[in-house]
Amino acid sequence: MAKGIAAVILVILIIGAVSGYLFYTRYVQGTVVLSITDPPQVQPGSHQQYDPSVLHIYLTFATIEIHQGGLGNPGNSSWYAIAGSQKTVDMISVLTVAKTLGSTRLATGTYDQLRFPVSTAIVTFSNIGNVTYTVPSDSVKVSITGGGFQSSPGTIVNLRLTLSFNNNEIVAMNGHLTPHATAQIVT
């Protein structure tokens, strides 16, 4: 009889421990805050990032998602929205100051990539006005430097997306912009 009671108590303790662990790692979440900047890359022979005739570079993101890799199985992964609604950013306005795009709560796990489709890219020139460009690919994917980050309950991770364009490509007005992007954790 005592062995039976001890076995039942042991089973209850094991179930409680497993349930507590699953609750803690699945439902008590961490937070990621995503910001964007266009890092200064001075053009040769100039002291500016872009040609002086470039007044604005407006990018509209349909959504911005973060990738949770692995989940114990390389074929099993998920994407989660950080900025789930359309966001428009003037990249000229974030040359020196980063702008927050959004934040979300994340389950415990490793997060290693960002992806975002650029639905609109418009450059405003001082001499001719707006010119519309396309950004190749339906969705730009960027790996987070250092292999990503680990989200755990109660943590806040500040993630910075740096996105820039080649000045020569902009002033050529060929209708296409190729983004140069990185994503990294900032403190």
Side-chain angles (χ1 to χ4, degrees):
M1 177 94 172
K3 285 184 180 181
I5 292 173
V8 169
I9 291 173
L10 182 60
V11 167
I12 291 171
L13 288 174
I14 290 171
I15 291 172
V18 169
S19 297
Y21 173 78
L22 291 174
F23 173 80
Y24 186 72
T25 59
R26 235 336 145 203
Y27 299 104
V28 179
Q29 300 174 326
T31 301
V32 63
V33 178
L34 177 66
S35 61
I36 189 168
T37 189
D38 186 346
Q41 298 172 357
V42 176
Q43 299 298 315
S46 169
H47 297 291
Q48 297 179 323
Q49 167 85 0
Y50 297 113
D51 186 273
S53 67
V54 175
L55 301 177
H56 304 282
I57 302 172
Y58 294 109
L59 298 182
T60 302
F61 304 98
T63 185
I64 300 173
E65 298 175 312
I66 192 163
H67 179 256
Q68 182 179 16
L71 302 175
N73 175 351
N76 185 14
S77 63
S78 298
W79 289 92
Y80 300 97
I82 295 177
S85 61
Q86 185 170 300
K87 300 277 185 191
T88 299
V89 176
D90 179 1
M91 298 305 293
I92 299 298
S93 74
V94 295
L95 285 174
T96 56
V97 178
K99 177 181 179 177
T100 300
L101 292 176
S103 66
T104 193
R105 298 179 61 83
L106 298 174
T108 298
T110 300
Y111 295 84
D112 57 1
Q113 286 183 355
L114 290 175
R115 77 175 174 192
F116 49 92
V118 176
S119 58
T120 307
I122 298 173
V123 177
T124 304
F125 291 91
S126 60
N127 52 354
I128 60 170
N130 292 339
V131 176
T132 301
Y133 292 80
T134 59
V135 176
S137 167
D138 291 337
S139 186
V140 179
K141 287 186 182 175
V142 180
S143 294
I144 299 170
T145 58
F149 66 91
Q150 179 71 30
S151 177
S152 57
T155 61
I156 297 175
V157 174
N158 292 303
L159 183 59
R160 172 95 25 96
L161 172 62
T162 58
L163 188 63
S164 62
F165 299 96
N166 182 296
N167 184 62
N168 294 332
E169 192 174 39
I170 292 172
V171 296
M173 292 186 219
N174 66 5
H176 302 285
L177 290 179
T178 305
H180 304 279
T182 61
Q184 64 185 18
I185 306 304
V186 293
T187 53

